[in-house]
Amino acid sequence: MKLQVGDKVKFMDQKGGGVVSRILNSTTVNVLTDDDFEIPFAVHDLLKIEKPKSYSEKIFFEGLSPSFPGSESKFGAGSGKEAENLSSPPMEEKMEASLENTNLEEDTDKRISALHHGYVSKTSQAEGLYLGFLPHDQQWMMKGGIDLYIINYTPYSIIYNLASKGVESFYGVDYASVPPYSKILVESLERDEIGLWSEGVFQCLFYQEESSCWLMPVSCAYELKTKRFLQTENYIYPVFLREKILLLPLVNINEHKAQNAIVHSTPFEDRNSSASSQKQMLRPIQNESFLAPFFIDKNTVEIDLHIESLVENISDMQAYEILQLQIKHFERCLNEAIEKKVSKIIFIHGVGNGSLKQEMKKILKPYTGLHYLDASSAKYGHGAMEIYFSGK
């Protein structure tokens, strides 16, 4: 976090705050406290107070609270308004009046910018949420400052909060809303500040105007080894940026949707029918191409079913959990390939004990209009299957 003279700050480990009065060095500043004492503080012990961007932030930072008749009220910090009588305007009118007094043009978060589409990239990115570390110097990426972004590469609007993990506490450092396929600048960092952001907690809610499948919230811990910042191969051109960036995946949106969603059902569905249940389970998700990042040519998709390609951390997963996740991923890709009329799909299942391959064959048995065989051993060894579809 970079502070300047005049910035308002709060103390993380004690009550109160003040104004930055002097920059002593890159890690220490003097703060003129609310009690008019000038005291040196470490930058990491301070929380910068940004200007409120919305009515909800105004409530949070300035202590606003709409009043009811017969109760005390504060419409602005230190306003000292007393309880008003029954002839006072309703609470909703007061809130509207308060909002009208703010400059609505300033409500737009200028930290937000749109992602791009269709860039050619050697590395495919699944739709999801990422932490992104973008070097200021794209030629010498291990020198100079870095911009930290939260990247929303999904069709959903999100409301998130981000906390960093300190030695004894978590520190809430940012919260905001981000539109679909957009990124938001969280902080511009100096190199010696990277370690303060390498571990923390990310939480968010998803929103769409209408959907037959409503996503549950996400809450996940993240950790990024600082040595990754010192290896040039970790900086890539993703499909949604023209600059090299170090990406840390937070949420794969399709995996989250498959396992953490409430599916809308109607009274006309026979919930006791196994056929209906099977149809619902295999129904491809509309308006969202799960296979898009995996096309290797116009009509061929290549899917890696190795568990390391599907989830970030497998340390706590049992063998049967791994197999079930691989099967679910296989079925999801297979059914979207049928719906999108793909000519061929290749599944890299590995060798192992053969259980995944046997389960795949069981699933394929009742399907018509397709045939399968082992993929090229020269290219994939003995651990891949090709499936061809007819009736295009």
Side-chain angles (χ1 to χ4, degrees):
M1 177 176 63
K2 193 171 183 179
L3 294 174
Q4 298 178 348
V5 173
D7 286 343
K8 292 183 178 181
V9 294
K10 285 186 178 181
F11 307 135
M12 284 190 173
D13 296 329
Q14 55 185 291
K15 292 183 178 180
V19 178
V20 176
S21 58
R22 185 179 176 188
I23 308 297
L24 300 179
N25 53 52
S26 61
T27 60
T28 312
V29 297
N30 274 358
V31 176
L32 183 63
T33 69
D34 297 334
D35 300 326
D36 291 329
F37 290 98
E38 191 171 30
I39 304 173
F41 281 89
V43 171
H44 60 74
D45 289 332
L46 301 173
L47 178 64
K48 183 178 177 180
I49 302 176
E50 304 285 354
K51 181 179 179 181
K53 305 177 184 66
S54 65
Y55 183 71
S56 59
E57 289 191 17
K58 199 172 180 68
I59 290 174
F60 180 80
F61 283 113
E62 300 182 12
L64 300 181
S65 57
S67 67
F68 293 96
S71 64
E72 294 185 355
S73 169
K74 279 194 199 176
F75 265 81
S79 65
K81 283 192 176 183
E82 300 298 330
E84 302 185 23
N85 59 36
L86 293 175
S87 63
S88 300
M91 179 180 67
E92 291 81 0
E93 293 181 14
K94 291 183 178 181
M95 293 177 68
E96 290 175 3
S98 178
L99 284 170
E100 288 173 1
N101 290 331
T102 63
N103 186 348
L104 295 180
E105 293 181 358
E106 294 182 358
D107 286 351
T108 303
D109 196 333
K110 293 181 174 61
R111 301 179 299 158
I112 294 174
S113 54
L115 296 172
H116 301 278
H117 295 278
Y119 293 152
V120 177
S121 172
K122 293 181 180 179
T123 307
S124 61
Q125 280 79 45
E127 288 198 338
L129 307 176
Y130 297 84
L131 278 184
F133 296 84
L134 183 69
H136 294 176
D137 190 332
Q138 286 285 295
Q139 185 174 3
W140 306 100
M141 287 172 293
M142 281 154 303
K143 295 182 179 180
I146 284 186
D147 286 338
L148 170 60
Y149 287 93
I150 286 178
I151 296 171
N152 179 16
Y153 186 48
T154 78
Y156 301 89
S157 295
I158 66 167
I159 301 172
Y160 75 87
N161 73 70
L162 182 68
S164 65
K165 184 180 180 181
V167 177
E168 297 181 351
S169 303
F170 290 98
Y171 299 104
V173 292
D174 194 36
Y175 65 95
S177 60
V178 187
Y181 300 108
S182 300
K183 64 183 185 297
I184 183 169
L185 176 63
V186 176
E187 189 71 70
S188 291
L189 310 175
E190 301 297 333
R191 283 283 160 170
D192 57 0
E193 297 176 317
I194 290 174
L196 301 175
W197 295 83
S198 61
E199 192 171 0
V201 176
F202 175 81
Q203 298 173 308
C204 86
L205 298 169
F206 300 93
Y207 174 77
Q208 277 187 320
E209 288 188 0
E210 183 179 356
S211 176
S212 61
C213 182
W214 206 258
L215 296 193
M216 300 297 288
V218 160
S219 183
C220 63
Y222 72 86
E223 183 176 4
L224 182 63
K225 302 296 183 183
T226 52
K227 66 181 181 181
R228 288 189 61 187
F229 291 92
L230 304 177
Q231 299 168 332
T232 55
E233 62 269 20
N234 292 326
Y235 297 87
I236 63 169
Y237 285 109
V239 295
F240 45 71
L241 281 181
R242 289 176 176 169
E243 298 170 290
K244 282 193 172 183
I245 192 170
L246 192 158
L247 292 177
L248 176 65
L250 296 171
V251 181
N252 181 311
I253 198 65
N254 291 298
E255 290 178 6
H256 182 71
K257 191 170 187 177
Q259 302 175 39
N260 300 281
I262 300 174
V263 179
H264 186 277
S265 60
T266 69
F268 302 102
E269 292 180 357
D270 182 6
R271 300 184 184 182
N272 296 321
S273 168
S274 59
S276 175
S277 299
Q278 181 74 358
K279 182 179 179 181
Q280 184 181 27
M281 180 182 71
L282 299 180
R283 181 180 59 194
I285 295 173
Q286 303 297 322
N287 303 320
E288 182 176 326
S289 180
F290 181 69
L291 296 179
F294 306 108
F295 277 84
I296 58 176
D297 60 41
K298 184 178 179 181
N299 292 307
T300 306
V301 175
E302 183 183 273
I303 304 293
D304 190 351
L305 293 178
H306 285 92
I307 192 63
E308 294 83 2
S309 300
L310 305 183
V311 295
E312 188 75 9
N313 185 0
I314 64 171
S315 58
D316 296 327
M317 295 185 70
Q318 302 296 321
Y320 74 91
E321 294 176 317
I322 292 174
L323 180 60
Q324 289 303 309
L325 182 59
Q326 291 173 312
I327 292 171
K328 185 178 291 187
H329 194 71
F330 169 74
E331 290 179 326
R332 187 185 188 87
C333 296
L334 176 67
N335 283 280
E336 182 166 329
I338 294 171
E339 189 216 21
K340 300 295 183 184
K341 297 183 179 179
V342 174
S343 296
K344 180 173 70 172
I345 185 167
I346 301 168
F347 287 101
I348 305 171
H349 51 73
V351 181
N353 60 12
S355 58
L356 175 57
K357 184 177 181 180
Q358 291 303 314
E359 291 297 326
M360 291 166 62
K361 288 182 177 180
K362 289 180 185 177
I363 292 169
L364 291 171
K365 190 173 182 179
Y367 281 81
T368 58
L370 63 79
H371 67 277
Y372 61 90
L373 67 161
D374 290 337
S376 167
S377 58
K379 184 175 181 180
Y380 299 102
H382 298 287
M385 177 188 294
E386 288 185 1
I387 303 174
Y388 293 84
F389 303 94
S390 61
K392 275 200 66 183

